[in-house]
Structures are given as structure tokens and as C-alpha cells.
Amino acid sequence: MDKIIPAFETTLFDPTLSGACLDVAELEIDSLLDDGVFKSIPVVSVLVGFGKTAQNIHDRNLLKQTIKFINTFNEKSISQEKLNKYRKKLETQPKYAEEELGRVIILLNSNVDLKKSEILGKFYRAYVEESINWDIFCEVSDITSRLFMVDLQLLYDIYDLKVTDTSQCLSYKVDRLIALGLLDSATKSIVIGNSTGSQTQRYIQVNELGKLYCQLSLS
């Protein structure tokens, strides 16, 4: 972490590197390594340096997840005042850089789907903008780590009121979203049959946490 956190911080907040990260995102990993493009981007250089050639799947995945996160974080402008305030906090209190950027790197390292790193980038942008606090960032990022990506569209459909009860979707997906704390449900009807047994239909809706999660991840 000693080298990667400063490199990650520099890459994340240096506007001159945003275009380079976008260019890297368009390249295959082999092209990136062969052409030496990574040398101009601190975090990429460090990540490749750790793996020497980044030939294994683990190193390649972390590299892709990190670039996706940085590009998403920078795809919308952040108030310069808020950005300067946050950078000053990291510079004057290194423990926050270790805790906050370190946590992000650990989360990125555990991601398989690029969509999760994209969502994480949106959450971190909201945190730097002070739209959410650190505790909320930790909560929604932990939810993302445990979320099945195949359930994400269902969550959005419920948020948009396109789906309002379990007769319109697969109930086990609803149960997973409820377990994450994003949905509330209430019994709609119970049907008891001789051959099929009892079947319960439930009304479903996003709760306050679910609304916040959708708003942030769709921003």
C-alpha cells in the first residue's frame, strides 16, 4: 500500500491524467504493456510494477477495475472547492488517505464485474462532493460488493415502479435485494392449492436506502 496509495491519489485527482486514463480504457491489456503507455500514469505504472508484467489474471483485473473507477469518477465535473478541500484533507492527514483510498483499492481488487467499479466511482464522487458521508459510502459500497449484478436491473425497475409485486419477477431475486436492505415487502395474497402448495405474492418497493442507492448509482 505504501506506493499504490500515493500513485492512486495522484492519478485520481490530476486532471491532466484523465484523458490518458480514457485512452488506456480503450486498449487491450497486452497493447498497454507492449506500447508502454502505462508509464505516464502513476497508478498503472505501480500496478504493473507489482506484477512486473501483469501477465496473471489477478493483476490484469485490478488494472482494468482501477481504470474503470478513475474514468467514472472523472466523467462529471466536481466543484473545485470541494475537490480542493478533500485533497487538502488527504495531504494534511495521511491517515485518511490510507483509510479511504486504501479501502477503495481493496474493493476494486475484489471486483470481477466492471460495472461494480463504475458504481463505486459514482459513490466516491458523491462522497468527495459531500453529497454523502463516509459511513454512507461504506454502506453502499459494501452493498455493491455483495450485490448480484443480474439483480441490478430489477432494482431499477422497482425503483421506477415498473415492477410493484413478486408476480412480475423472480421472487428469489427480490429476496436477495431484501437481504441487502434495499427493498421492503408486504403480503399481497396467499393462494393455497392441492398440487402446487401455497404461494405468496408480495408487494415490493425500494426503501430509503434503496432510493439513495439507485439515485447515486444512476447519477
Side-chain angles (χ1 to χ4, degrees), residues 9-21 74 80 83 87:
E9 180 182 345
T10 299
T11 309
L12 189 61
F13 296 113
D14 187 341
T16 65
L17 296 173
S18 299
C21 285
N74 286 307
Q80 195 61 47
L83 199 56
R87 292 191 69 178

Side-chain angles (χ1 to χ4, degrees), residues 59-76:
D59 291 339
R60 287 166 177 261
N61 181 63
L62 178 56
L63 186 54
K64 289 189 292 184
Q65 301 295 343
T66 302
I67 293 298
K68 185 66 174 179
F69 172 88
I70 291 172
N71 286 338
T72 302
F73 178 84
N74 286 307
E75 69 183 2
K76 291 186 179 179

Side-chain angles (χ1 to χ4, degrees), residues 1 62 98 101-111 120:
M1 286 288 187
L62 178 56
E98 179 74 26
L101 296 180
R103 185 184 184 90
V104 169
I105 292 167
I106 290 169
L107 289 167
L108 292 173
N109 198 30
S110 67
N111 287 346
L120 189 65

Side-chain angles (χ1 to χ4, degrees), residues 83-206:
L83 199 56
N84 290 341
K85 179 180 177 181
Y86 183 68
R87 292 191 69 178
K88 184 177 180 180
K89 184 182 81 166
L90 296 184
E91 291 168 2
T92 58
Q93 302 178 72
K95 67 175 184 179
Y96 285 111
E98 179 74 26
E99 177 186 359
E100 297 178 5
L101 296 180
R103 185 184 184 90
V104 169
I105 292 167
I106 290 169
L107 289 167
L108 292 173
N109 198 30
S110 67
N111 287 346
V112 175
D113 298 292
L114 286 174
K115 184 66 177 179
K116 290 192 175 185
S117 295
E118 177 187 326
I119 292 172
L120 189 65
K122 293 180 179 183
F123 292 162
Y124 206 72
R125 186 173 65 226
Y127 170 60
V128 173
E129 289 177 328
E130 299 181 342
S131 299
I132 58 174
N133 61 31
W134 178 246
D135 288 339
I136 294 296
F137 171 79
C138 291
E139 186 171 11
V140 292
S141 60
D142 285 346
I143 287 171
T144 303
S145 294
R146 295 183 288 125
L147 178 69
F148 284 74
M149 283 292 97
V150 293
D151 296 343
L152 187 60
Q153 188 55 54
L154 174 58
L155 176 65
Y156 292 154
D157 287 343
I158 297 169
Y159 173 69
D160 290 332
L161 302 180
K162 294 177 181 177
V163 174
T164 57
D165 66 66
T166 53
S167 69
Q168 300 170 286
C169 60
L170 296 171
S171 60
Y172 70 85
K173 291 189 175 185
V174 170
D175 290 336
R176 291 197 298 231
L177 292 171
I178 290 173
L180 290 174
L182 300 171
L183 300 183
D184 290 334
S185 67
T187 301
K188 177 183 180 181
S189 64
I190 300 176
V191 177
I192 300 176
N194 292 330
S195 58
T196 60
S198 63
Q199 295 183 337
T200 302
Q201 298 295 343
R202 291 169 289 165
Y203 292 111
I204 46 178
Q205 63 179 14
V206 293

Side-chain angles (χ1 to χ4, degrees), residues 15-28:
T16 65
L17 296 173
S18 299
C21 285
L22 285 171
D23 291 339
V24 167
E26 300 298 320
L27 294 173
E28 294 293 333

